[in-house]
Amino acid sequence: MNKSKRPFTKSKRSFRRRLPPIQSGDRIDYRNMSLISRFISEQGKILSRRVNRVTLKQQRLITIAIRQARILSLLPFLNNQKQFER
């Protein structure tokens, strides 16, 4: 039985912290389309807070901004265009 002497050692991998998606200077507003469009899926759904990696307050503001942009027809409610790859 030749087992290694250190059976439970942690692997040493470098951990790079992800940058927050919303910087401190960014205004969460329905007019800021470049910021809002990052938080919408391909189908046009609002992504969850866990996926977005934002705080609860930021997620609420994002949701309100997306809804306002949809009402003002700046964003579509649905994106049903299916791409056929043939």
Side-chain angles (χ1 to χ4, degrees):
M1 288 186 161
N2 288 342
K3 289 188 177 180
S4 64
K5 302 279 182 188
R6 298 175 290 155
F8 298 111
T9 57
K10 284 189 176 180
S11 63
K12 295 192 178 192
R13 56 184 165 159
S14 62
F15 178 72
R16 200 180 114 232
R17 191 167 182 190
R18 287 177 52 141
L19 293 172
I22 298 175
Q23 305 301 325
S24 59
D26 288 340
R27 288 203 27 94
I28 302 171
D29 202 339
Y30 68 93
R31 291 171 285 184
N32 194 351
M33 296 305 296
S34 60
L35 179 72
I36 287 176
S37 59
R38 284 190 244 158
F39 304 108
I40 298 177
S41 69
E42 300 244 338
Q43 292 85 26
K45 294 182 179 180
I46 301 172
L47 293 173
S48 69
R49 188 178 150 227
R50 192 176 55 199
V51 175
N52 288 339
R53 298 239 168 118
V54 293
T55 63
L56 181 63
K57 192 173 183 180
Q58 288 173 335
Q59 180 70 20
R60 280 199 205 111
L61 290 170
I62 289 165
T63 304
I64 291 167
I66 290 171
R67 287 179 184 162
Q68 286 176 335
R70 284 175 174 167
I71 290 168
L72 295 169
S73 67
L74 300 172
L75 281 175
F77 279 92
L78 294 174
N79 190 5
N80 284 335
Q81 298 172 348
K82 295 178 180 170
Q83 273 82 33
F84 293 106
E85 297 179 18
R86 288 186 183 191

